[in-house]
Amino acid sequence: MASEIGVQKIQHTNGTDAMTIDSSGRVFQPAKPAFMVGQTGQASNQPNNVIPFNQILLDQGNNFSLSDNRFNVPVTGVYHFHFHSFLDSANTAAGGIFLRLDGSTTGWPGADSSMYIRAYTNDIAPSGNFGPPISLAATLQVNSGSYVDLYTQLGLHNNYGCYFGGYLVG
């Protein structure tokens, strides 16, 4: 552990800082996996598809892939994920958004096989260009080598109001 006056640092073997604690007690972890992606200027999502993103706002660790719209889990741990969008004005059916592990909507390890992570809405009467919001948040144990993505049963409005993020809690 390297130190300066009031600052403690833990370094990687290559000499870069893995963690810094400053004199006020703030902890900085620049290698901790975190991501935030969104959509700009895209047409609305069609139902029954993986939700596509075209903007990376944050990708600490380079673990989110825009080519397949998934977060590739680099290390086993507890992660927090969140999603927000609006229903598209053309949406005419009730349905949900699934937070999927390795492409499955049938359950998460350690949970009852019928327990899946989904936000559901019956509010199918949007007006104007977009309808009511839909959001999802979950904190889950995820294993290294897995991936997490979002699947929609709904038509979503994707212009500047659709985003997905997550980070390693520990």
Side-chain angles (χ1 to χ4, degrees):
M1 182 180 297
S3 66
E4 299 169 20
I5 297 174
V7 175
Q8 295 293 316
K9 293 184 178 192
I10 298 173
Q11 295 185 333
H12 291 285
T13 55
N14 66 6
T16 61
D17 292 345
M19 181 169 59
T20 301
I21 304 170
D22 73 9
S23 59
S24 297
R26 294 177 291 225
V27 177
F28 302 93
Q29 296 173 294
K32 194 172 199 177
F35 73 96
M36 181 75 164
V37 295
Q39 298 173 332
T40 59
Q42 287 192 191
S44 297
N45 282 331
Q46 297 302 308
N48 303 312
N49 284 296
V50 172
I51 299 174
F53 297 95
N54 67 355
Q55 293 284 314
I56 292 180
L57 305 167
L58 168 70
D59 192 8
Q60 191 164 281
N62 297 314
N63 299 301
F64 194 90
S65 169
L66 288 177
S67 66
D68 53 18
N69 295 291
R70 48 174 78 156
F71 172 70
N72 297 294
V73 180
V75 61
T76 298
V78 174
Y79 287 80
H80 180 77
F81 298 101
H82 54 94
F83 165 78
H84 176 80
S85 189
F86 294 93
L87 296 182
D88 184 68
S89 60
N91 189 70
T92 59
I97 306 294
F98 291 87
L99 182 67
R100 303 189 314 175
L101 176 66
D102 296 328
S104 174
T105 58
T106 61
W108 282 78
D112 180 291
S113 62
S114 63
M115 169 39 176
Y116 46 85
I117 308 303
R118 175 178 79 162
Y120 188 84
T121 184
N122 283 321
D123 191 348
I124 56 173
S127 60
N129 292 331
F130 55 91
I134 186 164
S135 297
L136 176 147
T139 305
L140 304 158
Q141 174 77 33
V142 190
N143 292 326
S144 174
S146 291
Y147 71 86
V148 176
D149 66 6
L150 290 164
Y151 181 86
T152 181
Q153 295 175 319
L154 302 163
L156 299 174
H157 182 78
N158 292 335
N159 198 9
Y160 303 100
C162 186
Y163 57 84
F164 175 37
Y167 56 89
L168 175 64
V169 175

